[in-house]
Amino acid sequence: MSATPVKVPASALYAPVEETRESERLAQGLLLGDEQVFAAIYRRWGAMVHTMATRTLGDAKEAEDVTQQVFLAAWRGRAGFRPERGPLGAWLVGITRRKVVDALAARTRRARIAGAAAAEMPAVERWEATPEAVLDRVLVADELRRLPPAQREILALAFYGDLTQVQIAQRTGLPLGTVKSHARRGMHLLRRRVEEARLRY
Amino acid sequence: MADHVDPADLAEIALDRGDNGGRGNSARLAGPRLHLAVCPECRGELKALRAVVRAARSAGPGDPMTEPPDRVWRSIQRELETADPPRGTPSCQPPAAPTVTSSLRPPWGGHRPSRALAALTLAVGLATGGGVAWWAHESRPQTLQNVGAPHRLAPRPGHSASGTALLADSSAEGRVLQITVHNLPDIKGYFEVWLMDPAGRRLIPVGALGEDGRSTLPVPHVVDLPAYPVVDVSVQMYDGKPAHSGHSVVRGTLVG
């Protein structure tokens, strides 16, 4: 190991605890059928769901329909939400995936009825193999912007700046131990979010 | 078997693109890489982290989220209003129907609005467009009439908060400014709402923003709104100084 790990205040490292607490509060409120909480849930996840729908379907009108369906399904199916099976965000991603898959299937049916070749249908973003890959991507982008600023900056340098942890430490002037902790915690949080969502697929 | 790979090293290896020989192939990571070759557990971890890296890199930095247009929420609300009529539990029993003075029909058609669903509209910061909205403000129910169009409050430099402000007539408080701000920064103090002249020199403090970023604040008719059309929300410290801190979070104009 080339550097001595440095003690960093825990508050600078952990994923925002308030964010987790807020999610739990929203989950509780949803189960209680609190309409105000439902509105807060829409505020928190509306853009994520809508971005997922837009990127997978590539059609603004269909994306709006899917976003609406996801939240209506969440409200009406709230009794089926089991907090012990994963957080609210992951549950919403699961619903989004189902609605997107349904919309794509409906599109296929329409095309078939119209006698069009499957190859001519408007496709999911060309460079993506599956809707799931798009969902992962949007989920990670959404979570990334919610990380504490220091963690976000370090991960951005690692992801997009292609810098090693040593180079990030040199660039930012932060101790290497701090950089390592941020990178590790940030990556593991993102990983957990992706896996929680995949459990709902 | 040697100890498992240190999580920070695993992160470093996951981030390695494998095409720039200098970075991941450093001697320091040679040991962990050897271990990975023989440890399925660590390989599994690495695979999961690589999936994250792939997702993040394919998104690109600052990948923008697409906010759904306001009409999506309005449709959701309308759908719930008509298909899932409000439950009649005593705790959310709507008070007597409001007096409709507007010439426009309320957007929910003939249905009597539930207090909770009306609150929903406001919670998301949407006006009901010329209709009547009403809800329980703290413990006191009030009727809002002549609800004006929402005006956008845009973030000030360095902030990502945004919101809406609209004017209405309240049965309880006369003219009110109803304000909703999202994405407020974490601060130690509180947020104060101001009306300002276009030059930003003369200010009227209107009141503090609630913890949830919302407030309905009286703006008596003696306030000459055309002279103070700018709505500003500032960060204020609990320091006993009543003046504007100079630190604004969002701003918008009540025009049009």
Side-chain angles (χ1 to χ4, degrees):
Chain A
M1 203 59 42
S2 52
T4 328
V6 176
K7 275 208 178 259
V8 184
S11 59
L13 292 177
Y14 287 95
V17 176
E18 318 82 63
E19 166 78 11
T20 310
R21 279 211 199 105
E22 176 65 3
S23 294
E24 284 168 8
R25 185 184 74 80
L26 295 177
Q28 282 304 317
L30 178 70
L31 285 170
L32 293 171
D34 182 330
E35 286 99 339
Q36 297 250 20
V37 165
F38 180 55
I41 289 171
Y42 183 83
R43 278 203 302 276
R44 163 67 180 78
W45 282 287
M48 182 194 77
V49 168
H50 191 61
T51 306
M52 288 175 168
T54 306
R55 305 265 172 92
T56 46
L57 298 166
D59 176 281
K61 179 73 185 66
E62 270 187 283
E64 286 180 27
D65 283 350
V66 163
T67 302
Q68 179 180 340
Q69 286 170 26
V70 168
F71 283 95
L72 284 174
W75 177 250
R76 290 173 176 156
R78 59 189 183 275
F81 168 61
R82 299 266 172 275
E84 68 276 10
R85 288 188 53 207
L88 190 51
W91 185 63
L92 290 170
V93 176
I95 299 176
T96 306
R97 180 185 164 276
R98 284 198 299 282
K99 298 295 178 193
V100 162
V101 168
D102 288 352
L104 290 170
R107 194 183 272 183
T108 309
R109 279 196 302 277
R110 282 199 304 273
R112 212 172 275 152
I113 290 165
E120 288 168 3
M121 286 187 295
V124 172
E125 288 184 354
R126 291 185 308 283
W127 57 89
E128 294 292 354
T130 62
E132 287 77 10
V134 182
L135 300 194
D136 281 358
R137 206 177 81 188
V138 176
L139 178 64
V140 166
D142 184 62
E143 290 294 340
L144 204 50
R145 61 186 190 137
R146 291 172 194 282
L147 289 177
Q151 251 180 52
R152 196 170 57 225
E153 192 195 345
I154 286 167
L155 282 186
L157 289 170
F159 286 147
Y160 312 116
D162 272 344
L163 299 181
T164 64
Q165 292 170 353
V166 172
Q167 288 165 334
I168 293 172
Q170 285 161 355
R171 171 81 68 92
T172 59
L174 288 168
L176 181 60
T178 308
V179 171
K180 281 171 177 279
S181 305
H182 279 312
R184 176 166 56 84
R185 288 185 194 280
M187 293 263 291
H188 281 268
L189 176 84
L190 295 178
R191 175 211 164 159
R192 195 164 76 232
R193 291 286 178 260
V194 167
E195 288 182 350
E196 285 163 351
R198 284 187 177 173
L199 285 176
R200 301 290 194 161
Y201 288 177
Chain B
M1 189 176 292
D3 285 345
H4 286 308
V5 179
D6 176 79
D9 289 343
L10 211 51
E12 180 91 71
I13 295 171
L15 284 160
D16 184 12
R17 282 190 197 265
D19 55 4
N20 50 349
R23 75 166 278 172
N25 297 331
S26 63
R28 196 172 64 74
L29 293 178
R33 283 179 187 281
L34 276 177
H35 173 84
L36 275 166
V38 296
C39 177
E41 204 178 315
C42 285
R43 274 204 305 280
E45 291 283 303
L46 181 61
K47 195 175 162 208
L49 290 178
R50 278 197 170 136
V52 167
V53 173
R54 207 165 37 240
R57 284 194 173 141
S58 62
D63 195 26
M65 292 285 144
T66 314
E67 291 283 345
D70 289 352
R71 61 178 169 270
V72 174
W73 177 251
R74 281 198 295 268
S75 306
I76 291 171
Q77 205 203 352
R78 213 161 30 233
E79 179 75 15
L80 292 178
E81 183 78 25
T82 50
D84 303 357
R87 295 147 301 151
T89 53
S91 64
C92 67
Q93 198 69 257
T99 326
V100 179
T101 55
S102 163
S103 59
L104 291 170
R105 255 163 41 84
W108 42 74
H111 285 260
R112 198 162 72 139
S114 85
R115 183 171 71 193
L117 280 167
L120 259 183
T121 317
L122 298 159
V124 182
L126 300 171
T128 48
V132 168
W134 51 288
W135 75 106
H137 180 54
E138 287 157 7
S139 59
R140 184 167 44 150
Q142 63 176 327
T143 308
L144 276 197
Q145 296 173 339
N146 303 323
V147 179
H151 297 275
R152 191 174 147 66
L153 301 176
R156 300 298 293 164
H159 286 284
S160 57
S162 63
T164 54
L166 60 86
L167 290 163
D169 290 326
S170 153
S171 58
E173 296 181 293
R175 183 170 63 180
V176 291
L177 175 71
Q178 185 181 55
I179 181 162
T180 307
V181 185
H182 311 303
N183 288 334
L184 283 166
D186 254 349
I187 55 148
K188 288 216 158 42
Y190 63 99
F191 297 97
E192 177 77 19
V193 180
W194 306 80
L195 289 173
M196 290 169 34
D197 70 338
R201 293 181 188 281
R202 289 177 299 158
L203 295 101
I204 301 171
V206 186
L209 214 52
E211 258 177 85
D212 55 356
R214 298 201 293 263
S215 270
T216 301
L217 304 163
V219 181
H221 284 280
V222 294
V223 174
D224 179 18
L225 266 185
Y228 294 87
V230 178
V231 178
D232 175 275
V233 177
S234 69
V235 174
Q236 300 289 130
M237 291 298 131
Y238 294 109
D239 54 8
K241 293 179 189 159
H244 192 290
S245 65
H247 179 181
S248 295
V249 181
V250 291
R251 196 173 288 177
T253 308
L254 294 170
V255 172

